[in-house]
Amino acid sequence: MTMRHGLLVLLLLLPALPAAAQERFITLASTTSTEQSGLFAHLLPAFTAATGIGVRVVALGTGQALDVGRRGDADVLLVHDRAAEEAFVAEGWGGPRHAVMYNDFVVIGPAADPAGIAGLRDSAAALRRIAAAGVPFVSRGDRSGTHAAELRLWHLAGIDAAAGRGAWYREVGQGMGPALNAAAAQRAYLLADRGTWLAFRNRQDLRVLVEGDRRLFNQYGVIAVSPARHPHVKSAEAERFVAWLVGPPGQAAIAAYRIEGESLFFPNAGRPGT
């Protein structure tokens, strides 16, 4: 092969090199809150820059994300329903589960507050007032971590919210952003994660009315899907993502994400009880 011929072959191969590099990626099934809050746009480029591994996100409710993991259609999960996460690990679909970060849920509602819940620190009592007043409440209704938290609060309140379905209780079956849009349009109450609320711009007259209840704590966990169940998953790359996320670089990147000076998530990997 002449030098000229060799150079020609190299030039022909150069356009394919970036595509080949881009083929190294993992699929991350996660919640709509991590996507719609803007966290991933901040976090994932830092991981890719550090490792050369791209991340393709499938944003779903936590229940659906766990189902994606059970099917082997994702390599790693970042979700926020601890009971469901621990069941996923106990069933052998992945693990171990690692705590990553937390924020909290807040009860949002119209500024006029027809149910009179503003300032309450008991979220279950707030839901009881909403149900008693029969005023609109928007539920995600999508098996997400937020939906699971909402259902737990209705149970604590002693209310069968489904009995009001179609009247004051309105399920949208969508992510946090669309649910907030629906609440804004209908001047309704809803339970939201604080991260998505802070990133949300179509607030109209919605306000945070109830916050600070310890039952509104919102913990996120990360789980690599089991290669024993699904041999095709990119286990080594997924474990590298987990290690980066719960290690100093990932935890620092989470802490650095702010909107208008306010933190949306708080890193807590490795803390007992999380």
Side-chain angles (χ1 to χ4, degrees):
M1 179 185 293
T2 67
M3 182 178 291
R4 181 178 178 183
H5 187 210
L7 287 171
L8 179 60
V9 170
L10 181 60
L11 288 170
L12 289 171
L13 287 174
L14 280 175
L17 291 178
Q22 290 171 10
E23 288 176 2
R24 192 180 183 211
F25 69 91
I26 56 172
T27 299
L28 169 63
S30 189
T31 71
T32 62
S33 59
T34 44
E35 175 77 3
Q36 293 169 359
S37 66
L39 176 67
F40 283 156
H42 164 81
L43 193 68
L44 299 183
F47 169 72
T48 300
T51 65
I53 302 170
V55 182
R56 299 182 182 179
V57 177
V58 180
L60 302 160
T62 285
Q64 294 170 309
L66 291 167
D67 286 345
V68 168
R70 289 186 179 93
R71 295 195 300 268
D73 291 334
D75 304 299
V76 63
L77 314 175
L78 179 59
V79 287
H80 64 140
D81 183 349
R82 183 168 179 173
E85 295 162 35
E86 290 177 343
F88 181 90
V89 172
E91 292 161 6
W93 295 110
R97 170 195 175 273
H98 300 273
V100 176
M101 61 189 184
Y102 70 94
N103 60 11
D104 63 343
F105 295 110
V106 288
V107 181
I108 305 292
D113 188 22
I117 67 169
L120 291 180
R121 294 181 67 86
D122 183 332
S123 51
L127 294 190
R128 280 194 293 271
R129 288 193 188 184
I130 291 168
V135 290
F137 182 95
V138 168
S139 170
R140 283 181 55 173
D142 63 350
R143 298 178 54 230
S144 62
T146 304
H147 184 215
E150 177 216 314
L151 294 179
R152 286 193 295 271
L153 290 175
W154 284 119
H155 179 74
L156 288 170
I159 302 292
D160 179 7
R165 187 176 292 134
W168 61 271
Y169 187 75
R170 303 168 184 180
E171 293 179 310
V172 295
Q174 298 185 70
M176 197 69 257
L180 280 161
N181 281 324
Q186 300 173 37
R187 295 185 176 179
Y189 294 90
L190 85 164
L191 183 73
D193 72 280
R194 193 183 294 270
T196 307
W197 167 252
L198 290 172
F200 185 61
R201 291 292 172 259
N202 181 34
R203 295 182 180 181
Q204 298 187 41
D205 73 339
L206 293 181
R207 302 288 186 273
V208 173
L209 299 176
V210 177
E211 57 187 330
D213 185 342
R214 60 179 178 78
R215 291 172 292 191
L216 296 176
F217 181 77
N218 181 28
Q219 177 69 49
Y220 289 79
V222 64
I223 306 169
V225 175
S226 170
R229 288 294 184 96
H230 297 292
H232 65 276
V233 299
K234 298 171 183 175
S235 179
E237 291 86 350
E239 291 293 352
R240 194 165 180 189
F241 176 74
V242 171
W244 183 88
L245 192 62
V246 303
Q251 295 286 281
I254 291 167
Y257 183 54
R258 297 168 177 262
I259 290 181
E260 297 178 357
E262 189 163 359
S263 296
L264 277 70
F265 301 92
F266 302 88
N268 67 342
R271 294 185 189 174
T274 58

mmCIF file of all heavy atoms in Angstrom, residues 25-27 68-76 93 225-238:
data_model
loop_
_atom_site.group_PDB
_atom_site.id
_atom_site.type_symbol
_atom_site.label_atom_id
_atom_site.label_comp_id
_atom_site.label_asym_id
_atom_site.label_seq_id
_atom_site.Cartn_x
_atom_site.Cartn_y
_atom_site.Cartn_z
ATOM 1 N N PHE A 25 -22.541 3.691 25.223
ATOM 2 C CA PHE A 25 -23.545 4.404 26.013
ATOM 3 C C PHE A 25 -24.294 3.404 26.885
ATOM 4 O O PHE A 25 -24.243 2.188 26.670
ATOM 5 C CB PHE A 25 -24.533 5.146 25.101
ATOM 6 C CG PHE A 25 -25.440 4.226 24.320
ATOM 7 C CD1 PHE A 25 -26.674 3.831 24.836
ATOM 8 C CD2 PHE A 25 -25.063 3.745 23.076
ATOM 9 C CE1 PHE A 25 -27.505 2.968 24.129
ATOM 10 C CE2 PHE A 25 -25.888 2.888 22.360
ATOM 11 C CZ PHE A 25 -27.108 2.497 22.882
ATOM 12 N N ILE A 26 -24.981 3.933 27.873
ATOM 13 C CA ILE A 26 -25.893 3.139 28.685
ATOM 14 C C ILE A 26 -27.288 3.747 28.569
ATOM 15 O O ILE A 26 -27.447 4.929 28.240
ATOM 16 C CB ILE A 26 -25.472 3.087 30.159
ATOM 17 C CG1 ILE A 26 -25.321 4.496 30.750
ATOM 18 C CG2 ILE A 26 -24.204 2.275 30.326
ATOM 19 C CD1 ILE A 26 -25.088 4.518 32.261
ATOM 20 N N THR A 27 -28.286 2.914 28.854
ATOM 21 C CA THR A 27 -29.671 3.385 28.902
ATOM 22 C C THR A 27 -30.074 3.507 30.364
ATOM 23 O O THR A 27 -29.971 2.547 31.134
ATOM 24 C CB THR A 27 -30.608 2.424 28.167
ATOM 25 O OG1 THR A 27 -30.215 2.356 26.788
ATOM 26 C CG2 THR A 27 -32.053 2.909 28.247
ATOM 27 N N VAL A 68 -39.332 -1.360 33.156
ATOM 28 C CA VAL A 68 -38.330 -1.341 32.083
ATOM 29 C C VAL A 68 -37.099 -2.129 32.521
ATOM 30 O O VAL A 68 -36.527 -2.903 31.745
ATOM 31 C CB VAL A 68 -37.958 0.115 31.721
ATOM 32 C CG1 VAL A 68 -36.716 0.167 30.834
ATOM 33 C CG2 VAL A 68 -39.128 0.790 31.004
ATOM 34 N N GLY A 69 -36.685 -1.958 33.781
ATOM 35 C CA GLY A 69 -35.561 -2.719 34.305
ATOM 36 C C GLY A 69 -35.849 -4.204 34.350
ATOM 37 O O GLY A 69 -34.982 -5.028 34.021
ATOM 38 N N ARG A 70 -37.061 -4.577 34.749
ATOM 39 C CA ARG A 70 -37.423 -5.998 34.798
ATOM 40 C C ARG A 70 -37.373 -6.630 33.409
ATOM 41 O O ARG A 70 -37.042 -7.810 33.267
ATOM 42 C CB ARG A 70 -38.827 -6.163 35.392
ATOM 43 C CG ARG A 70 -38.913 -5.877 36.881
ATOM 44 C CD ARG A 70 -40.286 -6.208 37.434
ATOM 45 N NE ARG A 70 -40.333 -5.942 38.866
ATOM 46 C CZ ARG A 70 -40.748 -4.790 39.401
ATOM 47 N NH1 ARG A 70 -41.166 -3.815 38.614
ATOM 48 N NH2 ARG A 70 -40.751 -4.632 40.709
ATOM 49 N N ARG A 71 -37.705 -5.859 32.389
ATOM 50 C CA ARG A 71 -37.655 -6.381 31.007
ATOM 51 C C ARG A 71 -36.236 -6.385 30.456
ATOM 52 O O ARG A 71 -36.004 -6.925 29.379
ATOM 53 C CB ARG A 71 -38.554 -5.544 30.097
ATOM 54 C CG ARG A 71 -40.031 -5.623 30.431
ATOM 55 C CD ARG A 71 -40.866 -5.080 29.279
ATOM 56 N NE ARG A 71 -40.560 -3.698 28.968
ATOM 57 C CZ ARG A 71 -41.193 -2.643 29.484
ATOM 58 N NH1 ARG A 71 -42.161 -2.825 30.369
ATOM 59 N NH2 ARG A 71 -40.865 -1.414 29.131
ATOM 60 N N GLY A 72 -35.309 -5.733 31.133
ATOM 61 C CA GLY A 72 -33.952 -5.651 30.626
ATOM 62 C C GLY A 72 -33.784 -4.616 29.543
ATOM 63 O O GLY A 72 -32.826 -4.671 28.764
ATOM 64 N N ASP A 73 -34.692 -3.640 29.499
ATOM 65 C CA ASP A 73 -34.630 -2.598 28.470
ATOM 66 C C ASP A 73 -33.872 -1.364 28.949
ATOM 67 O O ASP A 73 -33.904 -0.324 28.291
ATOM 68 C CB ASP A 73 -36.044 -2.212 28.026
ATOM 69 C CG ASP A 73 -36.727 -3.326 27.257
ATOM 70 O OD1 ASP A 73 -36.007 -4.149 26.649
ATOM 71 O OD2 ASP A 73 -37.976 -3.403 27.278
ATOM 72 N N ALA A 74 -33.231 -1.452 30.104
ATOM 73 C CA ALA A 74 -32.352 -0.391 30.612
ATOM 74 C C ALA A 74 -31.202 -1.050 31.338
ATOM 75 O O ALA A 74 -31.292 -2.207 31.782
ATOM 76 C CB ALA A 74 -33.111 0.548 31.550
ATOM 77 N N ASP A 75 -30.118 -0.329 31.449
ATOM 78 C CA ASP A 75 -28.936 -0.835 32.146
ATOM 79 C C ASP A 75 -28.897 -0.416 33.605
ATOM 80 O O ASP A 75 -28.308 -1.112 34.434
ATOM 81 C CB ASP A 75 -27.668 -0.320 31.440
ATOM 82 C CG ASP A 75 -27.650 -0.678 29.968
ATOM 83 O OD1 ASP A 75 -27.658 -1.875 29.659
ATOM 84 O OD2 ASP A 75 -27.652 0.250 29.130
ATOM 85 N N VAL A 76 -29.524 0.715 33.900
ATOM 86 C CA VAL A 76 -29.472 1.255 35.258
ATOM 87 C C VAL A 76 -30.718 2.096 35.495
ATOM 88 O O VAL A 76 -31.302 2.640 34.540
ATOM 89 C CB VAL A 76 -28.166 2.078 35.457
ATOM 90 C CG1 VAL A 76 -28.131 3.283 34.544
ATOM 91 C CG2 VAL A 76 -27.953 2.475 36.905
ATOM 92 N N TRP A 93 -33.832 -8.558 40.383
ATOM 93 C CA TRP A 93 -33.757 -7.867 39.094
ATOM 94 C C TRP A 93 -32.555 -6.936 38.989
ATOM 95 O O TRP A 93 -32.181 -6.534 37.897
ATOM 96 C CB TRP A 93 -35.037 -7.071 38.851
ATOM 97 C CG TRP A 93 -36.246 -7.917 38.715
ATOM 98 C CD1 TRP A 93 -37.290 -8.032 39.593
ATOM 99 C CD2 TRP A 93 -36.553 -8.796 37.629
ATOM 100 N NE1 TRP A 93 -38.222 -8.922 39.131
ATOM 101 C CE2 TRP A 93 -37.798 -9.405 37.920
ATOM 102 C CE3 TRP A 93 -35.908 -9.134 36.437
ATOM 103 C CZ2 TRP A 93 -38.393 -10.337 37.069
ATOM 104 C CZ3 TRP A 93 -36.505 -10.063 35.583
ATOM 105 C CH2 TRP A 93 -37.730 -10.646 35.899
ATOM 106 N N VAL A 225 -29.139 -2.826 36.720
ATOM 107 C CA VAL A 225 -29.925 -4.013 36.368
ATOM 108 C C VAL A 225 -29.012 -5.236 36.369
ATOM 109 O O VAL A 225 -27.854 -5.177 35.954
ATOM 110 C CB VAL A 225 -30.606 -3.814 35.000
ATOM 111 C CG1 VAL A 225 -31.324 -5.084 34.547
ATOM 112 C CG2 VAL A 225 -31.602 -2.652 35.081
ATOM 113 N N SER A 226 -29.552 -6.368 36.819
ATOM 114 C CA SER A 226 -28.750 -7.583 37.006
ATOM 115 C C SER A 226 -28.354 -8.233 35.678
ATOM 116 O O SER A 226 -29.234 -8.605 34.878
ATOM 117 C CB SER A 226 -29.539 -8.605 37.832
ATOM 118 O OG SER A 226 -28.899 -9.854 37.839
ATOM 119 N N PRO A 227 -27.064 -8.429 35.438
ATOM 120 C CA PRO A 227 -26.644 -9.169 34.243
ATOM 121 C C PRO A 227 -26.973 -10.652 34.342
ATOM 122 O O PRO A 227 -27.018 -11.345 33.326
ATOM 123 C CB PRO A 227 -25.132 -8.925 34.203
ATOM 124 C CG PRO A 227 -24.744 -8.638 35.612
ATOM 125 C CD PRO A 227 -25.926 -7.935 36.223
ATOM 126 N N ALA A 228 -27.217 -11.160 35.564
ATOM 127 C CA ALA A 228 -27.626 -12.556 35.707
ATOM 128 C C ALA A 228 -29.018 -12.773 35.126
ATOM 129 O O ALA A 228 -29.315 -13.824 34.534
ATOM 130 C CB ALA A 228 -27.592 -12.961 37.184
ATOM 131 N N ARG A 229 -29.893 -11.776 35.274
ATOM 132 C CA ARG A 229 -31.242 -11.845 34.693
ATOM 133 C C ARG A 229 -31.231 -11.463 33.215
ATOM 134 O O ARG A 229 -31.984 -12.019 32.420
ATOM 135 C CB ARG A 229 -32.193 -10.927 35.454
ATOM 136 C CG ARG A 229 -32.562 -11.409 36.841
ATOM 137 C CD ARG A 229 -33.391 -12.691 36.781
ATOM 138 N NE ARG A 229 -33.844 -13.114 38.089
ATOM 139 C CZ ARG A 229 -35.046 -12.821 38.595
ATOM 140 N NH1 ARG A 229 -35.906 -12.104 37.895
ATOM 141 N NH2 ARG A 229 -35.375 -13.244 39.789
ATOM 142 N N HIS A 230 -30.398 -10.492 32.877
ATOM 143 C CA HIS A 230 -30.355 -9.977 31.505
ATOM 144 C C HIS A 230 -28.889 -9.861 31.066
ATOM 145 O O HIS A 230 -28.266 -8.812 31.246
ATOM 146 C CB HIS A 230 -31.055 -8.621 31.415
ATOM 147 C CG HIS A 230 -32.514 -8.680 31.744
ATOM 148 N ND1 HIS A 230 -33.423 -9.320 30.946
ATOM 149 C CD2 HIS A 230 -33.215 -8.190 32.810
ATOM 150 C CE1 HIS A 230 -34.641 -9.226 31.488
ATOM 151 N NE2 HIS A 230 -34.535 -8.541 32.614
ATOM 152 N N PRO A 231 -28.328 -10.928 30.497
ATOM 153 C CA PRO A 231 -26.903 -10.930 30.149
ATOM 154 C C PRO A 231 -26.484 -9.851 29.158
ATOM 155 O O PRO A 231 -25.298 -9.514 29.084
ATOM 156 C CB PRO A 231 -26.700 -12.330 29.542
ATOM 157 C CG PRO A 231 -27.798 -13.164 30.133
ATOM 158 C CD PRO A 231 -28.961 -12.234 30.270
ATOM 159 N N HIS A 232 -27.452 -9.289 28.431
ATOM 160 C CA HIS A 232 -27.098 -8.290 27.412
ATOM 161 C C HIS A 232 -26.880 -6.891 28.002
ATOM 162 O O HIS A 232 -26.382 -6.006 27.308
ATOM 163 C CB HIS A 232 -28.204 -8.197 26.355
ATOM 164 C CG HIS A 232 -29.498 -7.688 26.911
ATOM 165 N ND1 HIS A 232 -30.417 -8.494 27.541
ATOM 166 C CD2 HIS A 232 -30.025 -6.429 26.964
ATOM 167 C CE1 HIS A 232 -31.443 -7.774 27.937
ATOM 168 N NE2 HIS A 232 -31.232 -6.508 27.601
ATOM 169 N N VAL A 233 -27.244 -6.664 29.267
ATOM 170 C CA VAL A 233 -27.099 -5.310 29.804
ATOM 171 C C VAL A 233 -25.628 -4.942 29.906
ATOM 172 O O VAL A 233 -24.753 -5.799 30.059
ATOM 173 C CB VAL A 233 -27.795 -5.133 31.178
ATOM 174 C CG1 VAL A 233 -29.289 -5.396 31.072
ATOM 175 C CG2 VAL A 233 -27.165 -6.003 32.244
ATOM 176 N N LYS A 234 -25.362 -3.640 29.840
ATOM 177 C CA LYS A 234 -23.988 -3.143 29.881
ATOM 178 C C LYS A 234 -23.600 -2.949 31.342
ATOM 179 O O LYS A 234 -23.566 -1.841 31.874
ATOM 180 C CB LYS A 234 -23.883 -1.847 29.085
ATOM 181 C CG LYS A 234 -24.233 -2.052 27.611
ATOM 182 C CD LYS A 234 -24.339 -0.747 26.862
ATOM 183 C CE LYS A 234 -24.761 -0.980 25.421
ATOM 184 N NZ LYS A 234 -24.989 0.283 24.695
ATOM 185 N N SER A 235 -23.308 -4.069 31.978
ATOM 186 C CA SER A 235 -23.114 -4.091 33.419
ATOM 187 C C SER A 235 -21.914 -3.263 33.862
ATOM 188 O O SER A 235 -22.004 -2.496 34.833
ATOM 189 C CB SER A 235 -22.949 -5.534 33.885
ATOM 190 O OG SER A 235 -22.743 -5.603 35.276
ATOM 191 N N ALA A 236 -20.785 -3.408 33.154
ATOM 192 C CA ALA A 236 -19.578 -2.685 33.570
ATOM 193 C C ALA A 236 -19.790 -1.182 33.484
ATOM 194 O O ALA A 236 -19.420 -0.432 34.400
ATOM 195 C CB ALA A 236 -18.393 -3.106 32.707
ATOM 196 N N GLU A 237 -20.415 -0.724 32.389
ATOM 197 C CA GLU A 237 -20.669 0.709 32.225
ATOM 198 C C GLU A 237 -21.702 1.207 33.233
ATOM 199 O O GLU A 237 -21.581 2.318 33.764
ATOM 200 C CB GLU A 237 -21.135 1.005 30.798
ATOM 201 C CG GLU A 237 -20.077 0.821 29.730
ATOM 202 C CD GLU A 237 -19.981 -0.619 29.225
ATOM 203 O OE1 GLU A 237 -20.607 -1.510 29.848
ATOM 204 O OE2 GLU A 237 -19.282 -0.834 28.215
ATOM 205 N N ALA A 238 -22.732 0.372 33.497
ATOM 206 C CA ALA A 238 -23.749 0.760 34.480
ATOM 207 C C ALA A 238 -23.133 0.903 35.868
ATOM 208 O O ALA A 238 -23.425 1.862 36.598
ATOM 209 C CB ALA A 238 -24.878 -0.270 34.504
#
